[in-house]
Amino acid sequence: MSQPQVGIIMGSQSDLRVMRDAAQVLEELGVSFELTIVSAHRTPERMFDYAKAARQKGLKAIIAGAGGAAHLPGMVASLTTLPVIGVPVKSSNSIDGWDSVLSILQMPGGVPVATVALDGAKNAGILAAQIVGTFDQDVANKLETYKENLKAKVEESISAVSKNGWKA
Ligand code: RP5
């Protein structure tokens, strides 16, 4: 695997069932990535070291997922100038998901985190690929094809519904 362009981190292995969607779409789009566990609360020094080293080692964006009191994305954003995409995870310690969403979304001025939907790791992967696609033409081409395929699938369903109505 070539030098990773995107870092995927998450607070716990229990987040992997959600966060693997980011890995899967990055693989589809030909974006190299690394994936590891970094806990803001249980391994704060590791979080600090990861965020501080991220740009230096060539990462272009970080996807950070966490649940409950989800401080990882915001804290990482406070420690790096790389764009950070936050994935709120509905975890075992989350009341209903809103706690994770708001912990990641409601950042103070000056420290943005691009927050995707609850458990929205797939969109986090696509957004990270779009960041890489601003300077990598191969990735931009793959994104173009990806979006054409999305359109083609909707067109197929429109044809199916217009042909078969509610029985489609
Ligand atoms: C968060 O607490 C993690 O990101 C995870 O979503 C949640 C629960 O962690 P575990 O108790 O499953 O390790 O920090």
Side-chain angles (χ1 to χ4, degrees):
M1 196 74 170
S2 53
Q3 170 68 38
Q5 291 174 297
V6 174
I8 304 176
I9 55 174
M10 63 207 81
S12 167
Q13 191 176 351
S14 63
D15 298 322
L16 193 52
R17 73 184 165 79
V18 168
M19 297 304 291
R20 60 167 56 99
D21 291 350
Q24 192 174 344
V25 77
L26 285 173
E27 191 168 273
E28 262 174 64
L29 293 168
V31 178
S32 55
F33 64 89
E34 61 176 24
L35 181 149
T36 189
I37 314 284
V38 179
S39 169
H41 301 122
R42 294 168 177 155
T43 64
E45 293 87 359
R46 177 170 166 75
M47 176 194 66
F48 185 92
D49 293 346
Y50 186 91
K52 280 296 184 194
R55 177 179 285 277
Q56 190 72 24
K57 70 180 171 188
L59 295 182
K60 305 295 187 255
I62 296 172
I63 298 172
H71 295 135
L72 180 67
M75 286 306 298
V76 168
S78 76
L79 292 162
T80 181
T81 53
L82 291 177
V84 175
I85 304 165
V87 182
V89 174
K90 189 164 182 335
S91 58
S92 59
N93 63 325
S94 172
I95 295 171
D96 57 6
W98 274 113
D99 40 11
S100 323
V101 170
L102 296 175
S103 299
I104 297 177
L105 185 67
Q106 290 302 114
M107 288 297 291
V111 192
V113 170
T115 310
V116 296
L118 186 67
D119 290 347
K122 182 176 177 176
N123 270 359
I126 295 168
L127 184 54
Q130 287 177 321
I131 290 167
V132 172
T134 60
F135 57 85
D136 182 324
Q137 192 55 47
D138 287 346
V139 173
N141 293 343
K142 288 211 169 76
L143 281 161
E144 201 64 50
T145 307
Y146 184 85
K147 287 194 184 280
E148 284 301 321
N149 287 340
L150 286 182
K151 192 168 114 185
K153 276 186 200 137
V154 175
E155 281 164 356
E156 272 171 34
S157 62
I158 292 168
S159 304
V161 167
S162 72
K163 195 168 150 211
N164 302 312
W166 64 273
K167 291 186 177 171

